[in-house]
Amino acid sequence: MKNNKMVRAKLLRVIMLMHAIIGLPYTVMGLSMSYYMMSCPAAEQIVTNTVNNALRADPTLAAGLIRMLFHDCFIEGCDASILLDSTKDNTAEKDSPANLSLRGYEIIDDAKKKIEATCPGVVSCADIIAMAARDAVFSANGPYYQIPKGRFDGKRSKIEDTRNLPSPFLNASQLIQTFGQRGFTPQDVVALSGAHTLGVARCSSFKARLTTPDSSMDSSFVNTLTKTCSAGDNAEQPFDATRNNFDNAYFNALQRKSGVLFSDQTLFNTPATRNIVNGYAFNQAKFFFDFQMAMQKMSNLDVKLGSQGDVRKNCRILN
């Protein structure tokens, strides 16, 4: 039985890979699958090897790389603004309270250093983030998806812009509205939320739910979260039982009223999104396919092209 499950899992990943190679519905003028074919053909393999090596040493970093892409793209577009360090004259996005728990910067730095040694001044930090997030998903046994390259790095990174990041306290209607303003559908919202199948949440992001627990929370799960928070605001709670494995366990948890964040559980509690949650809980292949489509869309959000940006030599500072 175990061998059969492994065979089915491998077959599923092959099917997802074929879908990713055959179809890329969310393309942007100026980006290309073969963008670095002549100028830096080793770029993708360097990123993949760097990510895989890092995740073998610390699998928990997969969640960090995926979250980094989201926190980058949702602000000024996919332009690596999240990587810029603050200066004496400017407090950057990465120093916002919403971004202080981001992880994986050293992986991007490592990939960039290796690429610069091979083909200097060619590959953008924005493309490296997008490729690293894709490789993190696949490394954690999730779907593989192709992304076009050619993003340029942005020249702006300001802490005040992070106010546009969705809060963990938003309800489903607010999430749909917030994401909808950037071209995402309710299905995209639920699929992207499925990235929470990896990683953890800190007590500070869900402790407010424990003061007045409601019927949308399983009573035993309330006890679990309460115990977690007894260790302080920085105590961590996995989103589901398989924190380092990309699967549909997150949606099963929502069905059991065991969503960690309010913005998680609201997806099951709200009629507009409940059927999507149920569909993904029942059919992991459907979740994988929709997730890769949504991630392709996210990776192409408001990209910078030509004079709108440049290619940084060091991802942490402007040229």
Side-chain angles (χ1 to χ4, degrees):
M1 182 66 73
K2 183 177 181 180
N3 289 336
N4 288 340
K5 287 183 177 180
M6 291 178 64
V7 170
R8 288 197 296 269
K10 289 180 180 179
L11 179 60
L12 173 62
R13 297 182 81 195
V14 170
I15 292 172
M16 291 294 109
L17 177 59
M18 292 174 63
H19 277 299
I21 293 173
I22 292 171
L24 185 70
Y26 305 115
T27 56
V28 173
M29 187 69 69
L31 301 186
S32 168
M33 293 302 220
S34 58
Y35 189 84
Y36 296 118
M37 181 176 290
M38 300 300 294
S39 60
C40 193
E44 288 213 53
Q45 194 60 54
I46 290 174
V47 174
T48 297
N49 290 345
T50 303
V51 170
N52 288 344
N53 289 337
L55 298 188
R56 273 194 291 270
D58 184 358
T60 67
L61 286 170
L65 290 172
I66 299 168
R67 187 166 172 242
M68 182 184 292
L69 173 76
F70 171 71
H71 281 234
D72 181 45
C73 296
F74 217 78
I75 304 302
E76 284 287 303
C78 302
D79 64 354
S81 56
I82 189 64
L83 300 180
L84 287 171
D85 287 338
S86 294
T87 66
K88 64 178 182 179
D89 301 316
N90 178 66
T91 304
E93 293 172 24
K94 66 165 52 172
D95 288 320
S96 163
N99 288 330
L100 292 179
S101 61
L102 285 181
R103 304 171 64 220
Y105 293 112
E106 69 281 3
I107 301 176
I108 306 300
D109 289 338
D110 189 22
K112 177 65 170 175
K113 181 179 179 180
K114 291 173 181 174
I115 288 174
E116 285 296 304
T118 303
C119 33
V122 174
V123 180
S124 70
C125 302
D127 275 344
I128 293 175
I129 291 177
M131 290 186 281
R134 174 202 62 193
D135 293 336
V137 171
F138 191 62
S139 179
N141 299 315
Y144 184 86
Y145 56 93
Q146 287 281 8
I147 53 170
K149 275 72 68 178
R151 300 161 188 77
F152 276 45
D153 298 324
K155 302 177 182 180
R156 170 193 173 97
S157 182
K158 294 186 176 294
I159 189 172
E160 55 264 32
D161 294 339
T162 62
R163 64 181 180 272
N164 295 321
L165 283 171
S167 155
F169 312 111
L170 296 184
N171 62 37
S173 297
Q174 292 168 322
L175 287 170
I176 289 171
Q177 179 182 14
T178 300
F179 279 80
Q181 292 170 349
R182 288 162 175 78
F184 295 96
T185 67
Q187 177 175 283
D188 292 331
V189 173
V190 180
L192 289 170
S193 296
H196 282 174
T197 185
L198 298 176
V200 299
R202 293 187 175 183
C203 173
S204 57
S205 64
F206 60 79
K207 66 178 182 180
R209 303 184 68 201
L210 306 178
T211 56
T212 54
D214 56 46
S215 59
S216 70
M217 297 180 70
D218 177 76
S219 58
S220 63
F221 190 63
V222 171
N223 294 334
T224 297
L225 296 184
T226 301
K227 182 178 180 181
T228 296
C229 285
S230 66
D233 281 359
N234 289 328
E236 297 176 339
Q237 174 66 38
F239 286 109
D240 65 30
T242 57
R243 61 172 288 182
N244 294 326
N245 192 57
F246 197 98
D247 52 29
N248 65 343
Y250 164 81
F251 298 106
N252 297 135
L254 300 189
Q255 290 180 317
R256 298 192 303 271
K257 300 182 179 181
S258 298
V260 176
L261 303 178
F262 177 81
S263 57
D264 291 324
Q265 193 59 51
T266 187
L267 299 175
F268 181 74
N269 298 343
T270 305
T273 49
R274 182 182 300 136
N275 286 341
I276 304 174
V277 170
N278 287 335
Y280 292 159
F282 176 74
N283 188 340
Q284 180 169 279
K286 172 64 173 171
F287 163 49
F288 276 19
F289 184 77
D290 290 349
F291 180 80
Q292 70 180 29
M293 296 295 106
M295 282 294 280
Q296 287 170 350
K297 188 186 292 189
M298 176 66 73
S299 300
N300 294 340
L301 192 62
D302 297 331
V303 299
K304 306 292 189 297
L305 299 171
S307 61
Q308 296 174 325
D310 57 18
V311 176
R312 287 182 218 142
K313 297 175 183 178
N314 180 331
C315 293
R316 293 175 178 265
I317 59 176
L318 296 174
N319 290 338

